[in-house]
Amino acid sequence: MQIIQHVLFRDTILDAGLSYTATVTNDVTDLAGNALETEVSWTFLTGTTTGLSVVNLGASGNYVILAKTAINNSPTSGVTGDMGLSPAATTFITGFGLTDATGYATSPQVTGKVYAADMASPSNTNLTTAVENMITAYNDAAGRPTPDYSELGTGSIGGMTLQAGLYKWTNTVTMASDVTLSGSADDVWIFQISGDMMMSSAVNITLTGGAKAENIFRQVAGEVVLGTTAHFEGVVLSMTGITMQTGASMNGRLLAQTAVILDSNTVTKP
């Protein structure tokens, strides 16, 4: 049994499935300075599930990187999974040394295929559907009601361990130090971010307890920047651009309604 003394702070994240005892001690006083005569305690059990369902990516989930305006790369990166660009054409995919084939292209930096809107059918129609599904997924994530955590850390979440749930911020979210996501393989995280999402250099996101990157969704209205040599886990649904700085890596998907910019990165589908 865990014991919390004095007061439960709003930003304290409790472990799931545990019994806690909260105690208000007799050093608490009223406005006149009178102390509480006796301690007051109560016990409660934290839940084990958030009830969140995953965000359905639809056809956008067929791509590890999907963008609308450009995919730019400063070689050499390593991408595992398919990439797609629409409605922009192949010329807006740069830095991969593409070799054209019928309906797709290949690259020595991509373990998978590369698609763009000007490629032969059915690639163009498949990409149109994928982009539509990406926007639907973004709106789904943004519209989930009743957050479990609102304005946690006023957006500064470095050093925190985050349990599964729905998180909401109306400002920018920063990660200046390592972040841990702790939960089971069935748990779901959805982060609703109205501002930017900034991850500092050399910061790592770590998953524990069986948590899966495919069940972690970050809906970001602003810019996303993953710092130099940082490591990221999860799916990014960005209304604006996504930039991975030099040497950053990720296990997840980059789904942007504008551009994705890479610089000697490793991107692996979950």
Side-chain angles (χ1 to χ4, degrees):
M1 178 178 294
Q2 305 290 322
I3 297 177
I4 303 174
Q5 290 188 326
H6 301 307
V7 66
L8 292 174
F9 293 98
R10 182 188 65 180
D11 290 346
T12 298
I13 300 178
L14 305 181
D15 292 327
L18 291 180
S19 177
Y20 286 85
T21 295
T23 302
V24 180
T25 62
N26 54 14
D27 61 352
V28 174
T29 62
D30 61 18
L31 293 176
N34 301 309
L36 191 67
E37 291 186 0
T38 58
E39 293 185 349
V40 177
S41 298
W42 66 96
T43 300
F44 59 93
L45 180 68
T46 54
T48 58
T49 180
T50 67
L52 278 179
S53 59
V54 298
V55 176
N56 184 0
L57 299 178
S60 68
N62 295 332
Y63 304 89
V64 66
I65 298 176
L66 179 64
K68 294 179 68 175
T69 62
I71 302 174
N72 300 139
N73 174 47
S74 294
T76 301
S77 293
V79 177
T80 301
D82 292 343
M83 301 195 322
L85 180 67
S86 179
T90 309
T91 54
F92 291 90
I93 302 175
T94 62
F96 286 98
L98 297 180
T99 299
D100 290 335
T102 302
Y104 64 93
T106 60
S107 166
Q109 300 177 65
V110 181
T111 304
K113 296 179 179 179
V114 180
Y115 300 91
D118 59 336
M119 292 179 178
S121 184
S123 295
N124 50 359
T125 54
N126 288 343
L127 283 168
T128 297
T129 299
V131 168
E132 290 173 350
N133 291 170
M134 173 176 67
I135 296 170
T136 298
Y138 177 94
N139 292 334
D140 173 21
R144 296 293 180 98
T146 319
D148 298 296
Y149 307 99
S150 293
E151 315 299 349
L152 180 67
T154 63
S156 179
I157 62 173
M160 293 187 180
T161 296
L162 306 179
Q163 310 296 326
L166 178 62
Y167 295 74
K168 182 179 181 65
W169 292 273
T170 57
N171 55 356
T172 290
V173 170
T174 62
M175 289 170 273
S177 57
D178 293 353
V179 176
T180 300
L181 274 61
S182 179
S184 74
D186 296 324
D187 283 334
V188 175
W189 289 255
I190 298 176
F191 300 90
Q192 300 170 327
I193 302 172
S194 297
D196 300 330
M197 184 178 75
M198 302 292 179
M199 190 174 186
S200 296
S201 297
V203 167
N204 295 307
I205 292 178
T206 302
L207 308 184
T208 63
K212 293 183 176 181
E214 64 197 59
N215 292 336
I216 302 165
F217 304 90
R218 291 175 175 82
Q219 169 263 316
V220 186
E223 182 182 5
V224 175
V225 177
L226 308 183
T228 302
T229 71
H231 178 73
F232 185 86
E233 297 272 346
V235 177
V236 179
L237 290 157
S238 173
M239 182 178 287
T240 316
I242 302 172
T243 298
M244 294 185 71
Q245 295 181 342
T246 307
S249 62
M250 75 165 300
N251 175 37
R253 301 185 191 278
L254 301 175
L255 309 178
Q257 294 182 39
T258 59
V260 173
I261 300 173
L262 306 180
D263 185 354
S264 302
N265 305 123
T266 301
V267 183
T268 306
K269 64 181 180 181

